[in-house]
Amino acid sequence: MAWTKWSYMDHWVTETPQGPQPPSFNRDHMDRYVKQLSALGFRGFDTFFFYLPILAGLYGSVKAFEEYLQDNGFDKITGIFSAYPYATEYTAPHVSETHDRIVADCQATIRAVEGLSVENFIVMPSTTYFQVEPVTDEKIKIMADLWNRVGRLTLEHGMRTTCHFEFWGAIRTREQLDLFFSYTDPQYVYFFCDTAQHTIAGVDPIQMFRDYRDRCTGFHFKDTHTVDTHEAYRTPPDPELMAPQVTRWFHEMGTDGGLVDFPALIREIVTSGYDGWLTVEHDKAELDGGSYAEATCVAKWYIDNVLAEAQALADQGAAR
Amino acid sequence: MKDTLRWAYALNQWNIRMDVFVRHEDQRRALKTCSALGFHHVELAAGTGRWDNLGRPEVIELNHGGPAGFLDFLHGCSVHGVSSMYWDPGQPAEEEGWAFRSTRNRDDHAAIVESAKPFADFLAAIGTEQLVVRPAGSAWLQPPLGADDVKTIGEVWNAVGKVAAAAGVGVALHYDCLSAVHSADEVGQLLAATDPALVGFALDTAELTIGGIDPVAFYAGHADRVTHVHLKDTRYADTGEEYRMPGAETTMLRGGAGRRIERWFFELGTEGGLVDVKAFVATLREHDYPGWVVVESDHGGNPAELAMLNSWYLQHELGVAKS
């Protein structure tokens, strides 16, 4: 049976009378956005923590927004993404003195989704690499301590804190990832596998999933055409949009030149018995004149055709 | 819901300018978009030149090696086939020496019939059922129809219908809101002037509404002649005879003059839509309409976004299961 637990991570940009804007531009655009995702058959919705107050404003409450999703065939809001990509004197996961503030922020986000059944509290465990350099064991330990603390907190509210690593973050190599996870409590801190980010960083996402299967609570299915061989990851002020060598890091599934072996990944997922959500993410899809809508359709086509076939083969193998 | 309706999507909304829908990868992305949204057949639109490479049989063959190669191209995107192709013989084509032809001019009839043949043959070769045609040019470009004009126009479409039928393809006269054949009475005259066995009618819900004709009532009155449908909505009717303005293609349809309405065509379910889409589709179902229903966005905005909204409407408001 085809995988039905596909969710969509909200980066969308649409055309409005005031130029390209997120659909939260107004209620009408947000409604249209939900319908558009619904038409493709997505059943889960992931969004950023900073959109929650906006959604509450548009719909009356986050719960009411979720009900609108459900009216359109969705199950629920599946994940909330929280991040501190830039270190400041107030918030920097590798600086213990900022942890109370970060925990307080997380509590506010938890309150915003109280009463819902969000499964994943997705976090960037670190800020930019260059702001943490030199990345030491001790700093990784400090970051692990923070997320152990947050993980315990979110679990009390039914959400698992799950770590999403960026190619430009301070925890990026396989050795750093393993060290970070060794410092975290498997009961409180989980793994979120972003296929493109790991690939750019030179880490095999399939092997990561294989090795951290028991702690994996989700995926961002997105592709890349480029491995970072220029040390863009450590280049200030921003490797993601300002790297001189690469103007676009992320692509939807199914483009020529994509480096992620998604059929192999889906086979691995099926074989492993993982039964959680799989999330489509498009990050900066508008670069090179692209549109989020078309990128999403093309990715869903890839799911319905290429991945469905790979999954069917894996199902047959599992049945034997 | 179980019914006879077959759904397709028009690709014309992607081809907004001569140089933007040319690369096969761009076309694949559009086809995959349609497929992912449950539309496994598409309608093509005739065009001209190397960049309109889905617009003429010889150019399609140059790109794909022939009908089989073109079908392989579609199948690679999980699109099963082409429902129909729109063709306006009054639109000059480079491949035909940029000749200006008019269906109301008997001297042009032989050339029009001749130019229809490659389309009919190609469509037959790829299993397409309908050649959807513009029966007459824009009203503002010609004097009012005289007593004999509708009969003359009917003659050429009977002849084209005969050629197409020989190839196994139907011909459907598409109403548009700028056409010289404009009123319900004129449309009725044209249908009466054509052979029902050879020539059908392509009912476009938005175009009829803009032209002041109720598509639901029209279908109910002419169900036996309607062999093709374009389903789209509009928020406006042409209440001031703007279609007669010089350059109505831009002055009216692009808001260059008159009421300055820059966008006439909208997705299904649009706020303030004038087409009673649910009633129209219910009428199709009541009559067991056997033809294609082509959903069309017609240059209304981001093509993928509009296709998604149309798919949503079909699934949630019309009870069409996504295949």
Side-chain angles (χ1 to χ4, degrees):
Chain A
M1 186 181 160
W3 200 280
T4 57
K5 291 175 74 173
W6 283 100
S7 61
Y8 192 79
M9 175 62 201
D10 174 20
H11 286 264
W12 197 278
V13 171
T14 190
E15 192 59 37
T16 78
Q18 296 181 22
Q21 297 284 339
S24 55
F25 175 75
N26 67 23
R27 171 71 190 258
D28 180 51
H29 280 79
M30 198 68 203
D31 286 357
R32 289 161 62 93
Y33 171 45
V34 169
K35 289 176 181 177
Q36 286 160 347
L37 295 178
S38 163
L40 286 170
F42 286 102
R43 286 179 41 199
F45 186 81
D46 282 23
T47 192
F48 289 102
F49 74 103
F50 51 75
Y51 279 137
L52 293 173
I54 299 171
L55 292 170
L58 292 177
Y59 290 84
S61 67
V62 178
K63 175 71 177 162
F65 170 67
E66 187 175 69
E67 287 166 0
Y68 186 77
L69 286 172
Q70 289 163 345
D71 288 344
N72 283 281
F74 283 81
D75 289 9
K76 61 181 180 177
I77 299 172
T78 38
I80 300 296
F81 199 107
S82 180
Y84 297 94
Y86 227 52
T88 67
E89 63 178 299
Y90 307 103
T91 55
H94 63 287
V95 179
S96 301
E97 291 71 18
T98 70
H99 285 189
D100 285 350
R101 163 64 189 270
I102 292 173
V103 170
D105 287 351
C106 291
Q107 285 172 319
T109 301
I110 290 167
R111 280 196 297 276
V113 295
E114 197 74 67
L116 308 185
S117 56
V118 176
E119 296 179 25
N120 282 325
F121 191 85
I122 310 160
V123 299
M124 281 184 194
S126 78
T127 63
T128 51
Y129 189 97
F130 73 87
Q131 288 179 298
V132 183
E133 266 191 299
V135 177
T136 62
D137 288 8
E138 176 59 20
K139 287 178 184 171
I140 290 177
K141 174 79 167 54
I142 291 170
M143 291 186 268
D145 289 344
L146 168 65
W147 301 118
N148 277 332
R149 192 175 157 193
V150 171
R152 189 180 304 116
L153 188 64
T154 61
L155 208 55
E156 289 169 4
H157 296 267
M159 290 181 287
R160 289 187 288 197
T161 292
T162 183
C163 295
H164 171 287
F165 302 89
E166 319 297 313
F167 80 88
W168 43 262
I171 304 168
R172 54 184 305 284
T173 68
R174 184 59 204 251
E175 293 72 23
Q176 290 165 339
L177 291 161
D178 289 339
L179 186 63
F180 174 79
F181 278 117
S182 74
Y183 286 141
T184 54
D185 187 334
Q187 201 183 170
Y188 299 129
V189 177
Y190 293 84
F191 168 52
F192 198 96
C193 183
D194 185 305
T195 52
Q197 299 279 7
H198 287 305
T199 301
I200 296 168
V203 172
D204 178 359
I206 299 176
Q207 191 61 46
M208 271 299 290
F209 170 66
R210 202 174 283 139
D211 295 342
Y212 289 94
R213 157 70 189 89
D214 293 342
R215 299 177 73 172
C216 184
T217 67
F219 296 83
H220 279 167
F221 272 64
K222 67 175 189 269
D223 209 347
T224 183
H225 295 178
T226 315
V227 174
D228 177 12
T229 54
H230 304 94
E231 295 196 343
Y233 71 87
R234 66 191 303 187
T235 308
D238 171 60
E240 196 174 356
L241 284 176
M242 298 172 71
Q245 300 89 355
V246 181
T247 54
R248 180 177 178 179
W249 292 100
F250 307 121
H251 294 261
E252 62 273 19
M253 287 185 282
T255 59
D256 286 344
L259 297 178
V260 178
D261 187 347
F262 291 105
L265 177 59
I266 202 81
R267 286 195 294 271
E268 191 74 29
I269 288 170
V270 170
T271 306
S272 76
Y274 174 88
D275 63 354
W277 291 92
L278 306 179
T279 303
V280 171
E281 183 186 47
H282 297 133
D283 206 344
K284 326 286 185 293
E286 76 275 29
L287 295 176
D288 302 333
S291 91
Y292 279 89
E294 188 174 83
T296 306
C297 290
V298 169
K300 193 60 168 55
W301 180 90
Y302 189 86
I303 289 167
D304 294 343
N305 291 272
V306 181
L307 294 190
E309 191 179 325
Q311 188 204 335
L313 288 172
D315 284 337
Q316 287 170 16
R320 281 198 295 271
Chain B
M1 181 177 287
K2 189 80 176 162
D3 59 29
T4 59
L5 304 186
R6 295 178 293 158
W7 297 90
Y9 210 88
L11 288 182
N12 60 353
Q13 63 163 342
W14 274 270
N15 195 9
I16 56 170
R17 225 176 48 225
M18 67 184 287
D19 56 351
V20 297
F21 194 55
V22 181
R23 294 187 70 86
H24 292 181
E25 181 55 22
D26 291 337
Q27 294 166 357
R28 280 193 196 95
R29 291 173 68 86
L31 292 166
K32 289 176 179 178
T33 294
C34 293
S35 168
L37 292 166
F39 298 102
H40 295 289
H41 283 77
V42 293
E43 180 172 286
L44 306 178
T48 183
R50 60 183 172 144
W51 286 341
D52 223 337
N53 55 11
L54 294 174
R56 287 187 67 86
E58 64 268 46
V59 184
I60 293 174
E61 292 188 11
L62 187 64
N63 276 260
H64 299 284
F70 182 57
L71 287 175
D72 285 346
F73 176 68
L74 299 179
H75 295 165
C77 301
S78 307
V79 168
H80 304 153
V82 174
S83 59
S84 42
M85 186 168 195
Y86 176 82
W87 174 59
D88 175 7
Q91 189 68 40
E94 186 176 5
E95 294 81 355
E96 296 178 26
W98 299 114
F100 285 89
R101 293 174 183 142
S102 168
T103 53
R104 67 191 283 179
N105 180 1
R106 282 199 175 89
D107 290 344
D108 287 342
H109 283 190
I112 290 171
V113 173
E114 198 59 32
S115 65
K117 285 179 181 172
F119 285 97
D121 290 343
F122 179 77
L123 295 182
I126 60 172
T128 296
E129 293 176 26
Q130 291 290 338
L131 179 62
V132 183
V133 299
R134 191 179 194 207
S138 296
W140 72 271
L141 275 166
Q142 50 193 298
L145 292 173
D148 200 38
D149 288 322
V150 172
K151 184 168 173 289
T152 302
I153 293 168
E155 286 171 9
V156 73
W157 291 120
N158 280 334
V160 170
K162 199 170 178 182
V163 164
V169 173
V171 168
L173 309 177
H174 177 271
Y175 178 91
D176 69 80
C177 64
L178 301 187
S179 175
V181 180
H182 196 80
S183 67
D185 185 47
E186 288 164 344
V187 175
Q189 290 175 38
L190 180 58
L191 290 176
T194 51
D195 182 347
L198 299 173
V199 180
F201 185 71
L203 190 161
D204 186 310
T205 52
E207 301 272 9
L208 278 181
T209 301
I210 294 169
I213 302 171
D214 175 4
V216 180
F218 188 91
Y219 179 76
H222 300 84
D224 57 331
R225 296 300 302 272
V226 175
T227 54
H228 197 70
V229 167
H230 281 177
L231 192 62
K232 61 180 186 267
D233 207 344
T234 180
R235 293 180 181 173
Y236 309 101
D238 179 13
T239 52
E241 295 202 336
E242 291 187 38
Y243 77 101
R244 293 189 189 278
M245 289 193 296
E249 286 79 5
T250 51
T251 51
M252 175 180 160
L253 290 183
R254 295 183 174 179
R259 286 181 288 168
R260 296 197 179 275
I261 297 167
E262 293 182 336
R263 178 182 172 186
W264 288 78
F265 302 117
F266 286 82
E267 68 279 5
L268 308 176
T270 190
E271 192 172 320
L274 298 180
V275 176
D276 190 342
V277 178
K278 289 179 185 173
F280 179 75
V281 171
T283 309
L284 292 181
R285 285 171 168 152
E286 281 167 21
H287 287 79
D288 292 328
Y289 167 73
W292 286 99
V293 185
V294 180
V295 182
E296 193 183 26
S297 302
D298 217 337
H299 304 165
N302 180 296
E305 287 202 22
L306 296 176
M308 295 166 96
L309 289 171
N310 281 323
S311 174
W312 179 90
Y313 192 89
L314 261 61
Q315 294 177 59
H316 289 260
E317 301 293 337
L318 297 179
V320 178
K322 193 173 79 169
S323 57

